[in-house]
Amino acid sequence: MPKESANTQQYTRPSTRFGALWHYPDFLKLWTGETVSLIGSQVTTLALPLTAVILLKATPVQMGLLNAVGFAPFLFLTLFAGVWIDHHRRRPILVATNIGRGVLLGLIPLFALLGMLRIEYLYIIAALAGCLTMLFYLAFQAFLPTLLPREQLVEGNSKLSVSQSVAEIGGPGLAGILVQWISAPLAVVVDALSFFVAAGSLLLVRTPEPRPAASIDLRSLLPEISEGFRVTFLNRYLRAFAGEAASYNLFWQVILTVFMLYAVRELHYSSGIIGLLFAVGSVGALCGAALTSPVARRIGVGFTILGAAALSDATLLVLPGITSSTPGALGFLLGAFFLQGIGITGCNVHVDSIRQTLIPDRLRGRANASYRLLVSGALPVGALLGGFLGAWIGLRLTLLVGALGLLSTWLWIVFSPVPKLRSPSTLVDELATSALEKPGETNVGMLD
């Protein structure tokens, strides 16, 4: 989006010069730092639960609690954080949250070396780091459109998705090696250091941000939160995206909460094999990031989103059917994770770009917050559900519940206007017509 303004009526049609972002040095700084951070975070994604499973002998309920506390801030603090972000510059928030997460995660290897590590300490660290991650995510989603013109947002999101995929390819493998070499808690130090690198790269960014809104008036807090809800849930596209993502996150977290326990205790996989599964899924995500734009040009953005969502939903049905660690069973698991990766990234690249296009700059913080309340708020609910189901009906049946639940999530896209969307420019034309028909109103897209 334009650096000085962000109104959906000022959209410039997408540039045909894919690759133009190599001429945006501030984006390259942001991209480099975020790539390093993403690689570090993938190490923690594997090392933290393995610390709980292997070192601390966590139960399914404890694993559910550990996953839940990290996402709980999205459920309880997101709305207020979104309004607060709209009244502050985003770059200092990004720097501070990266430094804070680096310090917090550095406590895990420190406590392990001192022989003081307990599951309760992991709960506290995960909860505090979750608060900072929530602030970072909301600020990042609001900051990127001020750094790039709108015609480059798809390319920017694609490059960030590629970084995410590359990190997820190399990160789990690196984590598996580090866990076997220096133990799971000490492997987390890689993530702690990566956050400091990301903070340093953000300090080098020089693109000025628009002046934030005036300081928060407590009397206007609830009306501002309400405005964020209206932007998100009165828009047919944003509402469909939120519903699909929230239901997907709920059931995926059910699966993820018990999968590590199932892989270690039932399938007897090593940390290296578990890392390989997630890495192969990320190879699929990398393929999805590379293929999604050409596919969208051929069949349309809407059908691309729909097909990608259906692919990511259906492939994990194979999980509860895996009962042994034979090479054939491992091959099925690798294929499922690979196809899931293609589907998730193929969907997210276009969804993120459409959301950033539809939401005006002054509302981005609170609109992203209302969206995150539903989408990320489903994660702790899914984690707790997965933990309690794992203790009640067993790990394998819990995997089946999660896989069956995922099959329903793509229906949010089916029963929405998304499949009819040929290209983002079509959406912009509809927005322009809507704005002309409703002069003087806040443009939140096509309302029901």
Side-chain angles (χ1 to χ4, degrees):
M1 294 186 178
K3 298 171 186 175
E4 71 283 358
S5 176
N7 186 297
T8 53
Q9 301 174 41
Q10 295 175 328
Y11 185 90
T12 303
R13 293 183 184 273
S15 169
T16 58
R17 291 181 60 230
F18 194 83
L21 290 187
W22 296 109
H23 303 289
Y24 286 78
D26 278 348
F27 174 79
L28 297 180
K29 297 170 189 173
L30 174 76
W31 186 25
T32 300
E34 187 62 10
T35 299
V36 173
S37 176
L38 287 169
I39 293 172
S41 295
Q42 287 305 310
V43 173
T44 296
T45 297
L46 189 66
L48 184 61
L50 285 177
T51 298
V53 171
I54 297 173
L55 182 64
L56 303 179
K57 310 299 181 184
T59 66
V61 172
Q62 288 175 325
M63 289 297 293
L65 287 172
L66 180 61
N67 286 348
V69 295
F71 296 117
F74 284 97
L75 187 59
F76 297 109
L77 302 176
T78 292
L79 295 178
F80 302 100
V83 174
W84 181 76
I85 285 170
D86 277 341
H87 291 271
H88 293 80
R89 298 192 187 276
R90 286 75 183 251
R91 189 171 70 102
I93 297 173
L94 298 176
V95 173
T97 52
N98 274 329
I99 293 174
R101 287 184 291 176
V103 171
L104 284 169
L105 290 177
L107 295 176
I108 295 176
L110 177 62
F111 287 157
L113 288 172
L114 296 175
M116 299 170 52
L117 193 62
R118 298 173 54 183
I119 191 70
E120 293 81 5
Y121 295 161
L122 291 187
Y123 293 156
I124 296 171
I125 292 171
L128 294 175
C131 291
L132 296 178
T133 297
M134 178 266 299
L135 287 172
F136 177 88
Y137 190 91
L138 294 178
F140 188 87
Q141 288 290 306
F143 180 68
L144 184 63
T146 67
L147 193 66
L148 294 176
R150 283 185 179 169
E151 64 268 21
Q152 301 301 339
L153 278 176
V154 170
E155 183 185 349
N157 283 314
S158 293
K159 281 182 164 53
L160 289 166
S161 293
V162 168
S163 292
Q164 178 76 39
S165 301
V166 170
E168 290 174 348
I169 292 169
L174 176 62
I177 294 171
L178 289 174
V179 169
Q180 292 180 342
W181 182 31
I182 60 175
S183 79
L186 295 184
V188 178
V189 74
V190 173
D191 193 13
L193 294 174
S194 74
F195 282 122
F196 293 118
V197 173
S201 70
L202 282 162
L203 288 172
L204 299 176
V205 172
R206 292 291 178 261
T207 300
E209 291 186 66
R211 184 182 300 276
S215 59
I216 300 175
D217 183 352
L218 294 180
R219 293 171 299 179
S220 66
L221 183 60
L222 290 180
E224 289 192 30
I225 290 175
S226 176
E227 194 171 15
F229 272 103
R230 287 199 303 274
V231 169
T232 298
F233 298 110
L234 291 181
N235 183 288
R236 294 175 291 169
Y237 291 91
L238 299 183
R239 185 170 64 242
F241 295 151
E244 189 273 338
S247 55
Y248 188 95
N249 283 351
L250 175 71
F251 292 110
W252 170 238
Q253 199 61 37
V254 168
I255 291 173
L256 201 59
T257 297
V258 299
F259 178 75
M260 200 72 71
L261 289 166
Y262 188 73
V264 171
R265 296 177 183 173
E266 301 292 335
L267 301 180
H268 307 291
Y269 282 155
S270 67
S271 58
I273 293 295
I274 296 172
L276 176 64
L277 287 172
F278 286 100
V280 167
S282 303
V283 172
L286 182 61
C287 293
L291 293 173
T292 187
S293 291
V295 171
R297 286 194 295 269
R298 180 174 293 272
I299 68 172
V301 168
F303 278 125
T304 301
I305 293 173
L306 177 62
L311 180 65
S312 64
D313 292 348
T315 55
L316 294 183
L317 275 173
V318 72
L319 292 184
I322 303 299
T323 58
S324 68
S325 56
T326 63
L330 178 60
F332 275 109
L333 275 180
L334 291 171
F337 276 82
F338 177 79
L339 293 175
Q340 184 208 22
I342 291 178
I344 289 177
T345 305
C347 182
N348 285 349
V349 165
H350 295 291
V351 168
D352 288 345
S353 299
I354 292 171
R355 289 185 61 246
Q356 290 164 346
T357 297
L358 286 172
I359 301 171
D361 180 69
R362 71 178 188 86
L363 299 175
R364 282 203 192 105
R366 70 200 80 166
N368 286 331
S370 62
Y371 185 86
R372 280 295 129 197
L373 175 67
L374 182 63
V375 172
S376 295
L379 292 170
V381 177
L384 291 174
L385 179 61
F388 284 106
L389 283 176
W392 180 36
I393 64 176
L395 303 178
R396 188 181 175 199
L397 283 179
T398 302
L399 290 174
L400 179 61
V401 170
L404 291 175
L406 284 179
L407 283 179
S408 67
T409 65
W410 71 297
L411 296 177
W412 284 93
I413 304 298
V414 173
F415 297 107
S416 77
V418 174
K420 299 178 182 178
L421 183 61
R422 181 66 189 175
S423 69
S425 60
T426 304
L427 178 60
V428 173
D429 291 340
E430 293 182 52
L431 285 172
T433 301
S434 175
L436 290 173
E437 291 173 353
K438 296 180 175 66
E441 297 184 10
T442 299
N443 180 11
V444 294
M446 292 135 283
L447 308 183
D448 287 337

mmCIF file of all heavy atoms in Angstrom, residues 213 267 326 339:
data_model
loop_
_atom_site.group_PDB
_atom_site.id
_atom_site.type_symbol
_atom_site.label_atom_id
_atom_site.label_comp_id
_atom_site.label_asym_id
_atom_site.label_seq_id
_atom_site.Cartn_x
_atom_site.Cartn_y
_atom_site.Cartn_z
ATOM 1 N N ALA A 213 -2.705 7.556 15.119
ATOM 2 C CA ALA A 213 -3.852 8.293 15.636
ATOM 3 C C ALA A 213 -3.509 8.907 16.986
ATOM 4 O O ALA A 213 -2.525 8.540 17.634
ATOM 5 C CB ALA A 213 -5.053 7.357 15.763
ATOM 6 N N LEU A 267 4.600 -44.498 17.937
ATOM 7 C CA LEU A 267 5.331 -44.860 16.716
ATOM 8 C C LEU A 267 6.829 -44.992 16.952
ATOM 9 O O LEU A 267 7.550 -45.475 16.073
ATOM 10 C CB LEU A 267 5.067 -43.813 15.626
ATOM 11 C CG LEU A 267 3.597 -43.610 15.222
ATOM 12 C CD1 LEU A 267 3.483 -42.551 14.127
ATOM 13 C CD2 LEU A 267 2.978 -44.922 14.765
ATOM 14 N N THR A 326 6.706 -48.510 9.998
ATOM 15 C CA THR A 326 7.285 -49.110 8.796
ATOM 16 C C THR A 326 7.596 -48.033 7.763
ATOM 17 O O THR A 326 7.022 -46.937 7.798
ATOM 18 C CB THR A 326 6.311 -50.126 8.187
ATOM 19 O OG1 THR A 326 5.121 -49.437 7.777
ATOM 20 C CG2 THR A 326 5.955 -51.210 9.191
ATOM 21 N N LEU A 339 1.419 -32.455 1.081
ATOM 22 C CA LEU A 339 0.223 -31.891 0.453
ATOM 23 C C LEU A 339 -0.433 -30.846 1.344
ATOM 24 O O LEU A 339 -0.958 -29.842 0.856
ATOM 25 C CB LEU A 339 -0.768 -33.011 0.122
ATOM 26 C CG LEU A 339 -0.315 -34.002 -0.956
ATOM 27 C CD1 LEU A 339 -1.324 -35.129 -1.102
ATOM 28 C CD2 LEU A 339 -0.099 -33.296 -2.290
#
